Amino acid sequence: MPLATDLRTAKRILGNAWRSRRARNRLASVQGELEHPARGSVRIVLYFADPKVNLYQLRQWYQPLVELSKTWPVVVVSRSPSSMLRLIEESPLPVVYLRKIVDFENFLAEQDIRIVLYVNQNVKNFQSMRYGRMWHVFINHGESDKAYMASNQYKAYDYAMVAGDAALERLSHALWDYDVSKRALVIGRPQADYFTGELPYTPDDRVTVLYAPTWEGDRGSMSYGSVLTHGLAIARSLLADSRFRLIYRPHPRSGVTNPEYRQANEQIIGMIAAANARDSRAQHVFDENPAIGWQLGSTDVAITDISAMVYDRLATGKPLIVTRPSSPEAQVETDGYLGSAEWLDADAAPDVIAQVERVRGDAEALERLQHWVKYHFGDTTPGAATGRFHGAVQHLMGEWEQHAAIHLADKRVGQFDVLDGDEDDEDEAPGAD
Protein backbone atom coordinates (compact mmCIF):
# COMPACT_ATOMS: atom_id res chain seq x y z
CA MET A 1 0.00 0.00 0.00
CA PRO A 2 2.77 2.55 0.86
CA LEU A 3 4.50 1.71 -2.43
CA ALA A 4 1.29 2.30 -4.39
CA THR A 5 0.81 5.62 -2.63
CA ASP A 6 4.39 6.65 -3.40
CA LEU A 7 3.93 5.74 -7.05
CA ARG A 8 0.72 7.78 -7.29
CA THR A 9 2.45 10.73 -5.64
CA ALA A 10 5.40 10.48 -8.01
CA LYS A 11 3.07 10.27 -10.99
CA ARG A 12 1.17 13.35 -9.81
CA ILE A 13 4.37 15.34 -9.29
CA LEU A 14 5.69 14.42 -12.72
CA GLY A 15 2.33 15.22 -14.29
CA ASN A 16 2.24 18.60 -12.60
CA ALA A 17 5.76 19.39 -13.77
CA TRP A 18 4.91 18.41 -17.35
CA ARG A 19 1.70 20.51 -17.37
CA SER A 20 3.53 23.47 -15.88
CA ARG A 21 6.34 23.30 -18.44
CA ARG A 22 3.85 23.01 -21.30
CA ALA A 23 1.88 26.01 -20.00
CA ARG A 24 5.06 28.06 -19.62
CA ASN A 25 6.11 27.24 -23.17
CA ARG A 26 2.70 28.27 -24.53
CA LEU A 27 2.82 31.43 -22.47
CA ALA A 28 6.30 32.33 -23.70
CA SER A 29 5.02 32.28 -27.29
CA VAL A 30 2.36 34.93 -26.61
CA GLN A 31 3.76 36.96 -23.73
CA GLY A 32 5.64 39.36 -25.99
CA GLU A 33 2.33 40.51 -27.47
CA LEU A 34 0.89 41.53 -24.08
CA GLU A 35 0.80 45.17 -23.07
CA HIS A 36 2.55 45.88 -19.77
CA PRO A 37 1.01 48.55 -17.52
CA ALA A 38 2.73 51.91 -17.74
CA ARG A 39 5.15 52.68 -14.93
CA GLY A 40 3.40 54.22 -11.95
CA SER A 41 -0.09 53.62 -13.36
CA VAL A 42 -1.34 50.85 -11.06
CA ARG A 43 -2.85 51.49 -7.61
CA ILE A 44 -4.63 48.19 -6.86
CA VAL A 45 -3.51 44.61 -7.48
CA LEU A 46 -5.62 41.50 -7.27
CA TYR A 47 -3.09 38.80 -6.45
CA PHE A 48 -3.94 35.29 -7.68
CA ALA A 49 -1.41 32.49 -7.21
CA ASP A 50 -3.68 29.51 -8.00
CA PRO A 51 -3.78 27.37 -11.14
CA LYS A 52 -6.72 27.69 -13.52
CA VAL A 53 -8.88 25.12 -11.70
CA ASN A 54 -9.59 27.77 -9.05
CA LEU A 55 -10.29 30.69 -11.37
CA TYR A 56 -13.95 30.53 -10.33
CA GLN A 57 -12.79 32.33 -7.17
CA LEU A 58 -11.61 35.27 -9.23
CA ARG A 59 -14.25 35.43 -11.96
CA GLN A 60 -17.01 36.66 -9.68
CA TRP A 61 -14.93 39.77 -8.96
CA TYR A 62 -14.42 40.74 -12.60
CA GLN A 63 -17.33 43.16 -12.95
CA PRO A 64 -17.03 44.84 -9.53
CA LEU A 65 -13.32 45.40 -10.19
CA VAL A 66 -13.90 46.67 -13.73
CA GLU A 67 -16.25 49.28 -12.26
CA LEU A 68 -13.74 50.10 -9.51
CA SER A 69 -10.93 50.48 -12.06
CA LYS A 70 -12.73 53.50 -13.52
CA THR A 71 -11.59 55.31 -10.38
CA TRP A 72 -8.55 53.30 -9.21
CA PRO A 73 -6.58 51.32 -11.84
CA VAL A 74 -6.67 47.58 -11.07
CA VAL A 75 -4.36 44.87 -12.42
CA VAL A 76 -4.60 41.11 -11.86
CA VAL A 77 -1.26 39.51 -10.97
CA SER A 78 -1.06 35.81 -11.87
CA ARG A 79 1.68 33.53 -10.53
CA SER A 80 0.47 30.46 -12.44
CA PRO A 81 1.10 29.89 -16.18
CA SER A 82 -2.13 27.91 -16.64
CA SER A 83 -4.17 30.66 -15.01
CA MET A 84 -2.40 33.33 -17.02
CA LEU A 85 -3.19 31.60 -20.31
CA ARG A 86 -6.88 31.49 -19.41
CA LEU A 87 -6.87 35.04 -18.07
CA ILE A 88 -5.42 36.34 -21.33
CA GLU A 89 -8.51 34.94 -23.03
CA GLU A 90 -11.20 36.02 -20.58
CA SER A 91 -10.15 38.71 -18.12
CA PRO A 92 -11.73 42.14 -18.66
CA LEU A 93 -8.95 43.56 -16.47
CA PRO A 94 -5.25 43.95 -17.37
CA VAL A 95 -3.26 40.87 -16.35
CA VAL A 96 0.43 40.52 -15.53
CA TYR A 97 2.27 37.20 -15.23
CA LEU A 98 4.88 37.31 -12.47
CA ARG A 99 6.15 33.76 -12.10
CA LYS A 100 8.94 34.42 -9.62
CA ILE A 101 8.76 36.47 -6.46
CA VAL A 102 11.62 38.62 -7.77
CA ASP A 103 9.38 39.44 -10.74
CA PHE A 104 6.69 40.51 -8.31
CA GLU A 105 9.15 42.64 -6.38
CA ASN A 106 10.28 44.39 -9.57
CA PHE A 107 6.67 45.05 -10.49
CA LEU A 108 6.03 46.63 -7.08
CA ALA A 109 9.12 48.81 -7.52
CA GLU A 110 7.86 50.28 -10.79
CA GLN A 111 4.24 50.79 -9.71
CA ASP A 112 2.49 52.82 -7.00
CA ILE A 113 0.64 49.91 -5.39
CA ARG A 114 -1.48 50.87 -2.40
CA ILE A 115 -3.87 47.93 -2.02
CA VAL A 116 -3.36 44.22 -2.73
CA LEU A 117 -6.54 42.14 -2.79
CA TYR A 118 -6.74 38.37 -2.15
CA VAL A 119 -9.65 36.07 -2.97
CA ASN A 120 -8.35 32.93 -1.21
CA GLN A 121 -5.83 31.62 1.30
CA ASN A 122 -3.16 30.23 -1.05
CA VAL A 123 0.13 29.78 0.83
CA LYS A 124 1.84 31.88 -1.85
CA ASN A 125 -0.16 34.85 -0.59
CA PHE A 126 2.50 35.14 2.09
CA GLN A 127 5.17 35.77 -0.53
CA SER A 128 3.27 38.92 -1.39
CA MET A 129 2.26 39.87 2.13
CA ARG A 130 5.87 40.39 3.26
CA TYR A 131 5.78 43.82 1.62
CA GLY A 132 4.75 46.77 3.75
CA ARG A 133 3.77 50.26 2.57
CA MET A 134 0.57 48.85 1.11
CA TRP A 135 -2.62 47.35 2.51
CA HIS A 136 -3.15 43.62 2.16
CA VAL A 137 -6.89 43.02 2.01
CA PHE A 138 -8.77 39.72 2.04
CA ILE A 139 -11.94 40.01 -0.05
CA ASN A 140 -12.64 36.26 -0.25
CA HIS A 141 -14.62 34.59 -3.02
CA GLY A 142 -17.96 34.37 -1.30
CA GLU A 143 -19.97 34.57 1.89
CA SER A 144 -20.88 31.37 3.73
CA ASP A 145 -21.03 29.67 7.10
CA LYS A 146 -18.17 27.28 6.32
CA ALA A 147 -15.47 27.02 8.98
CA TYR A 148 -13.19 28.62 6.36
CA MET A 149 -15.07 31.89 6.81
CA ALA A 150 -13.86 32.37 10.38
CA SER A 151 -10.30 31.12 9.96
CA ASN A 152 -7.57 32.62 12.10
CA GLN A 153 -5.85 33.37 8.79
CA TYR A 154 -7.90 36.57 8.67
CA LYS A 155 -5.38 38.00 11.13
CA ALA A 156 -2.65 37.84 8.50
CA TYR A 157 -4.27 40.62 6.47
CA ASP A 158 -4.41 44.30 7.31
CA TYR A 159 -8.12 44.36 6.51
CA ALA A 160 -10.90 42.08 5.32
CA MET A 161 -13.95 43.09 3.32
CA VAL A 162 -17.00 41.18 4.53
CA ALA A 163 -20.64 40.98 3.52
CA GLY A 164 -22.60 42.08 6.58
CA ASP A 165 -23.59 41.69 10.21
CA ALA A 166 -23.45 37.89 10.04
CA ALA A 167 -19.78 38.01 9.05
CA LEU A 168 -18.95 40.51 11.79
CA GLU A 169 -20.58 38.31 14.39
CA ARG A 170 -18.91 35.19 13.04
CA LEU A 171 -15.45 36.73 13.23
CA SER A 172 -15.98 38.32 16.65
CA HIS A 173 -16.93 34.93 18.11
CA ALA A 174 -14.22 32.89 16.39
CA LEU A 175 -11.12 35.07 16.57
CA TRP A 176 -9.39 36.09 19.78
CA ASP A 177 -8.07 39.63 20.04
CA TYR A 178 -9.18 40.59 16.53
CA ASP A 179 -10.42 44.16 16.18
CA VAL A 180 -13.49 43.51 14.04
CA SER A 181 -14.63 47.13 14.20
CA LYS A 182 -11.40 48.35 12.59
CA ARG A 183 -10.19 45.51 10.39
CA ALA A 184 -13.47 44.16 8.93
CA LEU A 185 -15.07 46.49 6.36
CA VAL A 186 -18.71 45.75 5.52
CA ILE A 187 -19.49 45.97 1.80
CA GLY A 188 -22.41 43.59 1.18
CA ARG A 189 -22.21 41.50 -1.97
CA PRO A 190 -21.22 43.78 -4.88
CA GLN A 191 -21.21 40.80 -7.25
CA ALA A 192 -25.00 40.63 -6.89
CA ASP A 193 -25.26 43.96 -8.72
CA TYR A 194 -24.09 42.08 -11.83
CA PHE A 195 -26.23 38.91 -11.66
CA THR A 196 -27.36 39.23 -15.26
CA GLY A 197 -26.64 37.56 -18.57
CA GLU A 198 -28.25 35.99 -21.60
CA LEU A 199 -30.50 33.06 -20.71
CA PRO A 200 -29.69 29.73 -22.43
CA TYR A 201 -33.41 28.90 -22.51
CA THR A 202 -36.62 30.66 -23.49
CA PRO A 203 -38.72 31.49 -20.41
CA ASP A 204 -42.16 29.86 -20.35
CA ASP A 205 -44.57 28.58 -17.71
CA ARG A 206 -42.14 25.95 -16.39
CA VAL A 207 -40.71 26.43 -12.91
CA THR A 208 -36.96 26.79 -13.35
CA VAL A 209 -34.86 25.19 -10.61
CA LEU A 210 -31.15 25.77 -10.20
CA TYR A 211 -29.26 22.86 -8.62
CA ALA A 212 -25.73 24.07 -7.83
CA PRO A 213 -23.85 21.56 -5.65
CA THR A 214 -20.32 22.05 -4.40
CA TRP A 215 -17.46 19.55 -4.75
CA GLU A 216 -16.98 16.59 -2.41
CA GLY A 217 -14.29 18.21 -0.28
CA ASP A 218 -10.89 16.81 0.66
CA ARG A 219 -11.65 16.02 4.32
CA GLY A 220 -14.61 15.00 6.43
CA SER A 221 -15.22 18.41 7.99
CA MET A 222 -15.60 19.93 4.51
CA SER A 223 -17.77 17.17 2.98
CA TYR A 224 -20.65 19.37 1.92
CA GLY A 225 -21.10 18.03 -1.62
CA SER A 226 -24.49 16.46 -2.40
CA VAL A 227 -24.11 15.09 -5.93
CA LEU A 228 -23.67 11.52 -4.73
CA THR A 229 -26.18 11.64 -1.84
CA HIS A 230 -28.94 13.93 -3.16
CA GLY A 231 -28.15 14.86 -6.73
CA LEU A 232 -29.26 11.83 -8.68
CA ALA A 233 -32.66 11.79 -6.94
CA ILE A 234 -33.11 15.55 -7.44
CA ALA A 235 -32.34 15.25 -11.13
CA ARG A 236 -34.59 12.24 -11.68
CA SER A 237 -37.57 13.94 -10.04
CA LEU A 238 -37.26 17.28 -11.81
CA LEU A 239 -36.42 15.83 -15.22
CA ALA A 240 -39.42 13.50 -15.05
CA ASP A 241 -41.95 16.30 -14.40
CA SER A 242 -42.88 18.52 -17.37
CA ARG A 243 -43.73 21.41 -15.04
CA PHE A 244 -40.06 21.94 -14.24
CA ARG A 245 -36.82 22.94 -15.90
CA LEU A 246 -33.50 21.93 -14.32
CA ILE A 247 -30.39 24.10 -14.48
CA TYR A 248 -27.52 21.93 -13.25
CA ARG A 249 -24.36 23.82 -12.32
CA PRO A 250 -21.87 21.51 -10.55
CA HIS A 251 -18.74 22.85 -8.91
CA PRO A 252 -15.80 22.78 -11.38
CA ARG A 253 -13.83 20.59 -8.98
CA SER A 254 -16.55 17.92 -8.71
CA GLY A 255 -14.97 14.47 -8.52
CA VAL A 256 -11.33 15.50 -8.18
CA THR A 257 -10.87 13.35 -5.07
CA ASN A 258 -13.73 10.82 -5.31
CA PRO A 259 -14.32 8.79 -8.50
CA GLU A 260 -17.86 7.87 -7.41
CA TYR A 261 -18.71 11.53 -7.02
CA ARG A 262 -17.34 12.21 -10.49
CA GLN A 263 -19.40 9.36 -11.94
CA ALA A 264 -22.59 10.65 -10.30
CA ASN A 265 -21.90 14.08 -11.75
CA GLU A 266 -21.40 12.61 -15.21
CA GLN A 267 -24.59 10.57 -14.83
CA ILE A 268 -26.65 13.69 -14.09
CA ILE A 269 -25.16 15.41 -17.12
CA GLY A 270 -26.16 12.40 -19.23
CA MET A 271 -29.69 12.42 -17.76
CA ILE A 272 -30.11 16.06 -18.80
CA ALA A 273 -29.02 15.30 -22.35
CA ALA A 274 -31.44 12.37 -22.54
CA ALA A 275 -34.34 14.46 -21.17
CA ASN A 276 -33.74 17.18 -23.76
CA ALA A 277 -33.58 14.54 -26.51
CA ARG A 278 -37.01 13.28 -25.41
CA ASP A 279 -38.52 16.76 -25.26
CA SER A 280 -36.58 19.68 -26.74
CA ARG A 281 -39.12 22.14 -25.31
CA ALA A 282 -37.92 21.31 -21.79
CA GLN A 283 -34.62 23.18 -22.34
CA HIS A 284 -32.90 21.69 -19.30
CA VAL A 285 -29.37 23.06 -18.95
CA PHE A 286 -26.04 21.64 -17.89
CA ASP A 287 -24.29 24.89 -17.07
CA GLU A 288 -20.50 25.00 -17.14
CA ASN A 289 -20.20 28.65 -18.13
CA PRO A 290 -17.43 30.29 -16.07
CA ALA A 291 -19.56 33.39 -15.48
CA ILE A 292 -22.15 33.43 -12.71
CA GLY A 293 -25.13 35.78 -12.96
CA TRP A 294 -28.41 34.80 -14.57
CA GLN A 295 -28.25 31.42 -12.82
CA LEU A 296 -28.85 33.15 -9.49
CA GLY A 297 -31.03 36.05 -10.53
CA SER A 298 -33.41 34.41 -13.02
CA THR A 299 -34.28 30.99 -11.58
CA ASP A 300 -37.45 30.47 -9.53
CA VAL A 301 -35.90 28.22 -6.85
CA ALA A 302 -32.29 27.32 -6.10
CA ILE A 303 -31.00 24.15 -4.43
CA THR A 304 -27.43 24.44 -3.18
CA ASP A 305 -25.02 22.80 -0.79
CA ILE A 306 -23.35 24.61 2.09
CA SER A 307 -21.04 26.87 0.09
CA ALA A 308 -20.73 30.43 -1.09
CA MET A 309 -23.56 29.67 -3.55
CA VAL A 310 -26.01 29.70 -0.61
CA TYR A 311 -25.16 33.29 0.10
CA ASP A 312 -24.87 34.39 -3.51
CA ARG A 313 -28.43 33.19 -3.95
CA LEU A 314 -29.49 34.66 -0.62
CA ALA A 315 -28.37 38.06 -1.87
CA THR A 316 -31.10 37.90 -4.52
CA GLY A 317 -33.87 37.38 -1.92
CA LYS A 318 -35.36 34.52 -3.95
CA PRO A 319 -36.44 31.05 -2.66
CA LEU A 320 -33.62 28.77 -1.61
CA ILE A 321 -33.23 25.16 -0.42
CA VAL A 322 -30.03 23.87 1.21
CA THR A 323 -28.99 20.21 1.14
CA ARG A 324 -28.10 18.77 4.52
CA PRO A 325 -24.67 17.08 4.44
CA SER A 326 -24.82 13.32 4.90
CA SER A 327 -21.32 13.14 6.35
CA PRO A 328 -21.46 13.17 10.16
CA GLU A 329 -18.08 14.92 10.15
CA ALA A 330 -19.25 17.91 8.11
CA GLN A 331 -19.20 21.08 10.19
CA VAL A 332 -22.52 22.92 10.00
CA GLU A 333 -22.80 26.34 11.63
CA THR A 334 -26.43 26.80 12.69
CA ASP A 335 -26.24 30.13 14.52
CA GLY A 336 -26.85 32.15 11.36
CA TYR A 337 -29.00 31.63 8.30
CA LEU A 338 -28.40 27.88 8.25
CA GLY A 339 -30.21 27.61 11.57
CA SER A 340 -33.41 28.64 9.78
CA ALA A 341 -32.69 27.37 6.27
CA GLU A 342 -35.09 25.22 4.25
CA TRP A 343 -33.17 21.94 4.50
CA LEU A 344 -33.32 18.96 2.16
CA ASP A 345 -32.17 15.67 3.67
CA ALA A 346 -30.84 12.91 1.43
CA ASP A 347 -33.79 10.61 2.15
CA ALA A 348 -36.21 13.41 1.17
CA ALA A 349 -34.45 14.17 -2.13
CA PRO A 350 -36.80 11.94 -4.20
CA ASP A 351 -39.67 14.17 -2.99
CA VAL A 352 -37.84 17.39 -3.87
CA ILE A 353 -40.75 18.75 -5.92
CA ALA A 354 -42.95 19.06 -2.82
CA GLN A 355 -40.19 21.07 -1.16
CA VAL A 356 -39.78 23.30 -4.22
CA GLU A 357 -43.48 24.06 -4.32
CA ARG A 358 -43.60 24.77 -0.59
CA VAL A 359 -40.78 27.33 -0.49
CA ARG A 360 -42.31 29.22 -3.41
CA GLY A 361 -45.66 29.71 -1.72
CA ASP A 362 -45.10 29.59 2.03
CA ALA A 363 -45.47 33.13 3.42
CA GLU A 364 -43.57 32.31 6.62
CA ALA A 365 -40.69 30.81 4.67
CA LEU A 366 -40.47 33.89 2.48
CA GLU A 367 -40.54 36.20 5.52
CA ARG A 368 -37.73 34.26 7.17
CA LEU A 369 -35.75 34.50 3.97
CA GLN A 370 -35.98 38.29 3.89
CA HIS A 371 -34.85 38.53 7.51
CA TRP A 372 -31.67 36.63 6.72
CA VAL A 373 -31.05 38.53 3.50
CA LYS A 374 -30.84 41.73 5.54
CA TYR A 375 -28.73 40.12 8.30
CA HIS A 376 -26.14 38.78 5.86
CA PHE A 377 -26.03 41.58 3.27
CA GLY A 378 -27.74 44.67 4.60
CA ASP A 379 -29.25 46.86 1.90
CA THR A 380 -29.56 44.79 -1.29
CA THR A 381 -31.02 47.59 -3.40
CA PRO A 382 -29.25 47.41 -6.79
CA GLY A 383 -26.05 49.43 -6.61
CA ALA A 384 -25.94 49.72 -2.81
CA ALA A 385 -23.23 47.08 -2.33
CA THR A 386 -21.14 48.55 -5.15
CA GLY A 387 -21.33 51.90 -3.40
CA ARG A 388 -20.16 50.36 -0.12
CA PHE A 389 -17.31 48.55 -1.90
CA HIS A 390 -16.09 51.79 -3.46
CA GLY A 391 -16.45 53.53 -0.12
CA ALA A 392 -14.30 50.90 1.59
CA VAL A 393 -11.58 51.30 -1.04
CA GLN A 394 -11.75 55.07 -0.67
CA HIS A 395 -11.34 54.65 3.10
CA LEU A 396 -8.25 52.49 2.61
CA MET A 397 -6.77 54.95 0.15
CA GLY A 398 -7.22 57.68 2.75
CA GLU A 399 -5.59 55.49 5.39
CA TRP A 400 -2.71 54.85 3.01
CA GLU A 401 -2.14 58.57 2.46
CA GLN A 402 -2.17 59.18 6.21
CA HIS A 403 0.38 56.46 6.98
CA ALA A 404 2.55 57.34 3.98
CA ALA A 405 2.90 60.84 5.42
CA ILE A 406 3.74 59.49 8.88
CA HIS A 407 6.47 57.20 7.50
CA LEU A 408 7.78 59.51 4.78
CA ALA A 409 11.23 59.80 6.30
CA ASP A 410 11.54 56.14 7.32
CA LYS A 411 14.48 54.16 6.02
CA ARG A 412 13.47 51.67 3.37
CA VAL A 413 14.17 48.08 4.39
CA GLY A 414 14.74 45.36 1.81
CA GLN A 415 12.14 42.61 2.13
CA PHE A 416 13.18 40.16 -0.56
CA ASP A 417 14.35 36.73 0.57
CA VAL A 418 16.21 34.85 -2.15
CA LEU A 419 15.74 31.57 -0.29
CA ASP A 420 12.00 31.53 -0.96
CA GLY A 421 10.95 28.98 -3.56
CA ASP A 422 9.83 30.31 -6.93
CA GLU A 423 8.82 27.05 -8.53
CA ASP A 424 5.48 26.73 -10.30
CA ASP A 425 2.85 24.61 -8.64
CA GLU A 426 0.23 23.43 -11.07
CA ASP A 427 -1.29 21.03 -8.57
CA GLU A 428 -5.04 20.63 -8.25
CA ALA A 429 -4.93 22.68 -5.03
CA PRO A 430 -7.04 20.18 -3.03
CA GLY A 431 -7.45 22.58 -0.13
CA ALA A 432 -9.47 25.09 -2.15
CA ASP A 433 -12.88 26.15 -0.85
Side-chain angles (χ1 to χ4, degrees), residues 145-400:
D145 281 318
K146 284 184 176 181
Y148 173 87
M149 299 298 296
S151 164
N152 204 53
Q153 291 164 301
Y154 271 75
K155 292 181 180 178
Y157 303 90
D158 297 302
Y159 295 91
M161 293 187 185
V162 301
D165 290 344
L168 295 178
E169 187 172 334
R170 186 186 306 124
L171 292 174
S172 65
H173 289 167
L175 305 184
W176 290 2
D177 195 28
Y178 181 78
D179 190 347
V180 173
S181 63
K182 172 178 171 57
R183 297 177 64 182
L185 309 176
V186 175
I187 63 171
R189 190 73 173 133
Q191 294 92 328
D193 288 334
Y194 306 92
F195 284 166
T196 58
E198 184 177 351
L199 299 182
Y201 61 89
T202 302
D204 51 24
D205 59 354
R206 289 179 184 249
V207 176
T208 303
V209 178
L210 169 66
Y211 174 44
T214 190
W215 68 304
E216 64 272 31
D218 61 343
R219 54 198 180 277
S221 63
M222 302 294 286
S223 298
Y224 301 116
S226 68
V227 169
L228 193 57
T229 55
H230 300 62
L232 292 169
I234 290 171
R236 288 191 190 99
S237 296
L238 293 172
L239 294 174
D241 194 319
S242 62
R243 297 173 298 166
F244 296 89
R245 170 176 298 111
L246 173 62
I247 310 297
Y248 179 53
R249 183 182 174 83
H251 192 288
R253 291 178 57 77
S254 294
V256 298
T257 64
N258 184 340
E260 290 183 88
Y261 201 92
R262 181 174 63 251
Q263 291 165 9
N265 176 50
E266 293 169 351
Q267 188 174 344
I268 294 173
I269 296 168
M271 291 163 62
I272 289 172
N276 283 332
R278 290 192 301 270
D279 180 5
S280 61
R281 296 169 301 175
Q283 303 177 85
H284 303 294
V285 178
F286 161 49
D287 175 38
E288 53 182 343
N289 191 312
I292 185 71
W294 62 266
Q295 302 92 332
L296 295 164
S298 302
T299 48
D300 297 299
V301 176
I303 303 171
T304 76
D305 301 338
I306 296 175
S307 70
M309 288 293 288
V310 168
Y311 299 89
D312 286 341
R313 174 64 176 197
L314 192 64
T316 71
K318 303 183 73 173
L320 169 65
I321 297 169
V322 183
T323 64
R324 191 183 301 278
S326 295
S327 171
E329 300 177 60
Q331 297 180 14
V332 180
E333 175 59 61
T334 58
D335 289 338
Y337 165 69
L338 293 180
S340 300
E342 308 297 332
W343 288 101
L344 181 66
D345 293 321
D347 59 5
D351 196 30
V352 65
I353 287 175
Q355 182 83 324
V356 167
E357 292 177 329
R358 186 185 66 78
V359 299
R360 292 184 68 218
D362 187 326
E364 291 186 5
L366 294 172
E367 185 177 350
R368 282 195 303 272
L369 182 69
Q370 294 309 312
H371 164 78
W372 291 107
V373 169
K374 183 176 181 181
Y375 176 60
H376 279 277
F377 301 102
D379 183 4
T380 56
T381 303
T386 293
R388 293 199 295 275
F389 177 43
H390 289 207
V393 172
Q394 182 66 58
H395 167 73
L396 294 179
M397 290 295 182
E399 290 284 292
W400 188 94

